[in-house]
Amino acid sequence: MTSKEENAKSTNRVLRISQLDALELNKALEQLVWSQFTQCFHGFKPGLLARFEPEVKACLWLFLWRFTIYSKNATVGQSVLNIQYKNDFSPNLRYQPPSKNQKIWYAVCTIGGRWLEERCYDLLRNHHVASFGKVKQCVNFVVGLLKLGGLINFLIFLQRGKFATLTERLLGIHSVFCMPQNIREVGFEYMNRELLWHGFAEFLIFLLPLINVQKLKAKLSSWCIPLTGAPNSDNILATSGKECSLCGEWPTLPHTIGCEHIFCYFCAKSSFLFDMYFTCPKCGTEVHSLQPLKSGIEMSEVNAL
């Protein structure tokens, strides 16, 4: 029986991160409610709520407390994470919700404490009488003690995973799951596929810049289209000099690289500077020397046009 009870407690134990997430969700909800409430008075006189801001906030938080902790035994953040409060003083092993007194004292400690702190700060800030100086020191001392107690409680919470706030420890309420949590079976098939594809994509990104696509294209074209005739024939130069073998336009400052094809000077020069092993994209001939086209052939081509 004891082993079963220990296993049930271990499975129903709320993680520390879940309890902290619930507190953060509560703070986010309070900020959202307050921002929406202040927008309702956007068209009124500026500073209308400044004088009664602590009281208005207390009323809003009391309204939230009434429909969350008082009625459902859980805050909004806890309800989202399937968590609720349990009475830790109860001797029963079964779930026992917090008593009515615990809920009321929870509202007094949280809502009333924040209202008292804000209101005392406003009162002491507006009065500079010597008698208020001692009161201010006492209030600061009490607030400091509470902050220190909250810090010590948080360190104990990190070690034991119970009572995330000082109020919960003082009132004897802690977080439990609303329903028993089943042990989740995590499958890593999707993650393995993502990691494999990510590694393959990084390998391609690293490999593609190292491949000379132009040279590879020239090799494939030379294999698919066999060459016929002498490569240095002037007649072939004259008939094939109508367009650049790289850009396909009329060759500007026509030059040859040692084969029968014509190139623009800038096309051939830039390709050769980019790749010292540049070859002709049509026949695959390597660049021996960049030579201008003979003037006789060039003039005969112009006259033929």
Side-chain angles (χ1 to χ4, degrees), residues 119-288:
R119 181 50 66 191
C120 289
Y121 177 76
D122 292 338
L123 291 176
L124 296 176
R125 181 182 57 183
N126 297 328
H127 294 81
H128 301 284
V129 187
S131 59
F132 282 94
K134 297 180 180 180
V135 177
K136 185 176 182 179
Q137 291 179 358
C138 294
V139 172
N140 292 333
F141 180 75
V142 173
V143 173
L145 285 179
L146 292 176
K147 298 293 184 182
L148 180 61
L151 176 61
I152 296 174
N153 177 80
F154 184 72
L155 295 177
I156 299 174
F157 165 73
L158 293 179
Q159 182 182 7
R160 300 182 180 179
K162 196 175 180 180
F163 303 118
T165 61
L166 183 61
T167 304
E168 295 177 3
R169 185 175 296 274
L170 294 176
L171 297 179
I173 54 177
H174 68 279
S175 301
V176 295
F177 284 112
C178 300
M179 299 178 61
Q181 299 296 299
N182 298 325
I183 300 177
R184 296 187 301 174
E185 296 181 0
V186 182
F188 296 96
E189 296 181 359
Y190 175 77
M191 188 178 296
N192 291 335
R193 289 197 299 268
E194 289 295 322
L195 290 175
L196 181 62
W197 172 249
H198 183 69
F200 181 69
E202 286 189 346
F203 175 73
L204 289 180
I205 293 173
F206 171 77
L207 183 63
L208 287 177
L210 303 179
I211 299 176
N212 192 339
V213 181
Q214 190 174 7
K215 189 174 182 179
L216 181 63
K217 182 180 178 181
K219 286 288 184 182
L220 293 176
S221 62
S222 63
W223 292 343
C224 296
I225 304 175
L227 299 177
T228 57
N232 294 323
S233 176
D234 292 343
N235 295 328
I236 297 178
L237 283 172
T239 56
S240 63
K242 296 181 180 180
E243 63 180 18
C244 174
S245 299
L246 287 175
C247 64
E249 302 294 334
W250 179 268
T252 304
L253 299 176
H255 281 65
T256 62
I257 61 173
C259 62
E260 75 277 11
H261 300 103
I262 306 300
F263 301 86
C264 297
Y265 170 77
F266 300 103
C267 294
K269 190 65 175 180
S270 60
S271 299
F272 180 71
L273 292 176
F274 177 76
D275 182 14
M276 60 182 302
Y277 300 104
F278 169 70
T279 58
C280 178
K282 292 189 176 181
C283 63
T285 304
E286 294 184 358
V287 179
H288 298 291

Side-chain angles (χ1 to χ4, degrees), residues 30-31 33-35 37-38 49-65 110-112 114-116 118-119 122:
E30 291 177 357
Q31 294 177 359
V33 171
W34 179 248
S35 63
F37 183 80
T38 53
L49 298 176
R51 185 177 179 181
F52 306 101
E53 182 175 342
E55 287 74 17
V56 175
K57 283 186 176 180
C59 292
L60 289 176
W61 308 157
L62 190 64
F63 179 80
L64 291 177
W65 167 83
T110 55
I111 303 173
R114 284 188 292 178
W115 170 82
L116 185 62
E118 294 180 3
R119 181 50 66 191
D122 292 338

Side-chain angles (χ1 to χ4, degrees), residues 20-36 61 64 75-77 80 114:
L20 296 178
D21 286 342
L23 295 177
E24 293 298 325
L25 288 174
N26 295 333
K27 294 178 182 178
L29 175 68
E30 291 177 357
Q31 294 177 359
L32 181 61
V33 171
W34 179 248
S35 63
Q36 294 290 331
W61 308 157
L64 291 177
T75 62
V76 176
V80 172
R114 284 188 292 178

